[in-house]
Amino acid sequence: MIFETQKLQNSHYKMLRDLGLLIYNRKDQKGGLNESELHDLLRIVSVEEMEKEYGKAYERGFEEGVTGE
């Protein structure tokens, strides 16, 4: 679990980094998510946030395709 959490924290996508940090900084490592943690998780992976990330990736890929860089 530690390795997977570190992979999330080292991602170049902010959404995955935030998710890794939330998992790593858990207050109760033995139980499920508390209400605050659940709200944080839902905010990070909400449809709106995912659409923003997909849009950024699309724009980056489009720019690379146009400029060749």
Side-chain angles (χ1 to χ4, degrees):
M1 178 69 173
I2 292 172
F3 181 68
E4 288 82 2
T5 302
Q6 289 173 341
K7 285 178 18 181
L8 286 170
Q9 290 175 329
N10 293 329
S11 174
H12 61 275
Y13 294 105
K14 183 182 182 318
M15 179 174 54
L16 295 179
R17 286 193 313 265
D18 290 347
L19 181 58
L21 287 171
L22 177 65
I23 293 169
Y24 179 76
N25 289 324
R26 297 277 315 286
K27 291 182 178 89
D28 177 7
Q29 294 294 317
K30 295 179 183 173
L33 296 175
N34 65 34
E35 187 175 350
S36 175
E37 291 170 328
L38 178 59
H39 287 295
D40 289 344
L41 177 60
L42 292 175
R43 181 186 50 78
I44 291 167
V45 296
S46 70
V47 172
E48 294 82 13
E49 288 299 315
M50 293 182 76
E51 286 176 347
K52 287 180 195 176
E53 291 299 319
Y54 290 144
K56 289 176 190 175
Y58 173 82
E59 291 297 326
R60 203 168 33 239
F62 181 79
E63 185 66 29
E64 289 174 5
V66 171
T67 63
E69 296 178 4

